[in-house]
C-alpha cells in the first residue's frame, strides 16, 4: 500500500466528488475521462482503473441507418488523391 494521502470530498450538482491528488493519478495512470470501477468492501471504498470497452468498426457500422446517415460533403481539393491538408 502506498503512502497515506488526505483529500477532500466536494459537492458537484447533486453528487459528491473525490479529489484525486495529481501524484496519485499519475501513479494509477488516471486522467480526465478515465473509466474506473467503484465498490465498497468492508467499509472501504475501492477504486480500480477499468479499460474502456473496445468497440469494433463492424459494431459501429451496424449503427448506421438511413435516418442518421448524412450526405457527402465537398471539401474541395480537386481530383481525388490531390487533396491538400
Amino acid at each position: 500500500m502506498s503512502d497515506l494521502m488526505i483529500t477532500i470530498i466536494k459537492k458537484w450538482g447533486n453528487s459528491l466528488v473525490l479529489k484525486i491528488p495529481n501524484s496519485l493519478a499519475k501513479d494509477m495512470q488516471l486522467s480526465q475521462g478515465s473509466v474506473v470501477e467503484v465498490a465498497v468492501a468492508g467499509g472501504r471504498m475501492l477504486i480500480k482503473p477499468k479499460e474502456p470497452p473496445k468497440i469494433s468498426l463492424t459494431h459501429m457500422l451496424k449503427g448506421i441507418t438511413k435516418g442518421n446517415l448524412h450526405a457527402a460533403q465537398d471539401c474541395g481539393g480537386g481530383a481525388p488523391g490531390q487533396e491538400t491538408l
Side-chain angles (χ1 to χ4, degrees):
M1 183 159 247
S2 65
D3 296 333
L4 178 67
M5 293 190 158
I6 305 294
T7 189
I8 299 171
I9 303 290
K10 297 274 189 167
K11 185 137 177 93
W12 185 13
N14 291 327
S15 300
L16 297 177
V17 177
L18 175 65
K19 291 180 70 174
I20 300 173
N22 195 42
S23 60
L24 181 60
K26 284 183 181 178
D27 287 348
M28 296 296 299
Q29 298 178 345
L30 296 174
S31 60
Q32 183 174 331
S34 292
V35 177
V36 295
E37 290 179 347
V38 181
V40 176
R44 295 176 181 229
M45 181 187 307
L46 307 172
I47 302 171
K48 177 181 167 186
K50 181 172 174 58
E51 288 288 324
K54 303 270 189 231
I55 301 174
S56 70
L57 177 60
T58 301
H59 179 77
M60 289 188 283
L61 291 173
K62 285 181 182 177
I64 298 174
T65 66
K66 288 183 180 182
N68 66 16
L69 183 63
H70 61 80
Q73 300 295 312
D74 182 6
C75 297
Q82 302 300 314
E83 299 87 354
T84 56
L85 300 176

